Amino acid sequence: MKNVILFLIFFPSFLNATEADSSNSFIEQMKGLCLNTEATHCSSELYNIGQVNEDAVVYIKQPEFIFDKYCVELENKHELSSRVYTLNSYIYVGRSINGTCSDYIRYTQEHDGKSLYIDANALDFIFSIKDVFHKNKLRSKCLNKSDVFYKNIDIYGVNIYPSIVDAKLKYEISISQTGDDVLFTMYFDSTTKVEECEGVRGQKP
């Protein structure tokens, strides 16, 4: 596998909000989105057409882009709340096994909005960390949590960004426990793969 996977796709802005002229008409449009074959979730509020102020959410997942070891998926979240329509786009990476995608992690990386470069070396490291979490063997030198904390721990998402100190790439890995909404963050140097204790993103305390 090449060290860098080039993935090119055009997609909407990560945040696009407009005020709805008519909540009912927007809900009708979102009901149409629910008929999309890629729609994976449509909130029950979509069917309460008479209640103008009801929130409505539709998730649409785009087709997977399969590589030899990993895959990429784009998810659009259409949301109507308090007369404001919002579209958020999220990128997920996962393992490609026999042509199917699984074990997703939310993936973010600074890019120009038109193309996304996914580093296979980064994915190798991130999924190796994920495997270690599953075996309850990794201990964070920065989080200083108890052994109980490390049970059922998993990666929620990853952000790859250049450090404001030396411009080197860093891995910002968000982790959580099963059934726990609280997220914790671990930082790794992309070159040494060593965990770094950071106060402000990209800067050691």
Side-chain angles (χ1 to χ4, degrees), residues 132-146:
V132 171
F133 280 158
H134 288 175
K135 295 177 182 178
N136 296 322
K137 290 183 179 180
L138 186 68
R139 294 294 182 270
S140 169
K141 69 177 184 179
C142 303
L143 294 177
N144 296 320
K145 300 293 180 179
S146 67

Side-chain angles (χ1 to χ4, degrees), residues 168-181:
K168 293 182 179 179
L169 288 182
K170 303 293 182 182
Y171 301 150
E172 180 185 79
I173 298 177
S174 299
I175 58 177
S176 64
Q177 279 185 295
T178 302
D180 189 351
D181 293 332

Side-chain angles (χ1 to χ4, degrees), residues 57-157:
V57 181
V58 178
Y59 293 93
I60 296 181
K61 289 189 176 182
Q62 302 299 319
E64 298 153 352
F65 295 81
I66 305 293
F67 301 102
D68 59 346
K69 291 175 63 178
Y70 304 110
C71 44
V72 179
E73 187 170 86
L74 178 69
E75 179 185 80
N76 290 326
K77 179 182 178 182
H78 302 262
E79 187 169 11
L80 180 66
S81 177
S82 301
R83 295 180 56 80
V84 175
Y85 168 76
T86 304
L87 170 63
N88 287 293
S89 295
Y90 303 99
I91 296 168
Y92 294 86
V93 293
R95 301 183 204 259
S96 175
I97 302 176
N98 297 325
T100 61
C101 207
S102 63
D103 218 5
Y104 287 110
I105 296 174
R106 183 177 289 184
Y107 183 97
T108 57
Q109 185 182 76
E110 294 183 9
H111 57 84
D112 60 12
K114 294 183 179 180
S115 60
L116 177 68
Y117 295 85
I118 298 180
D119 188 334
N121 288 330
L123 297 187
D124 285 341
F125 173 70
I126 292 161
F127 279 101
S128 69
I129 290 294
K130 187 176 179 70
D131 290 337
V132 171
F133 280 158
H134 288 175
K135 295 177 182 178
N136 296 322
K137 290 183 179 180
L138 186 68
R139 294 294 182 270
S140 169
K141 69 177 184 179
C142 303
L143 294 177
N144 296 320
K145 300 293 180 179
S146 67
D147 288 346
V148 177
F149 170 80
Y150 293 97
K151 294 181 180 179
N152 300 318
I153 202 172
D154 202 358
I155 293 180
Y156 172 82

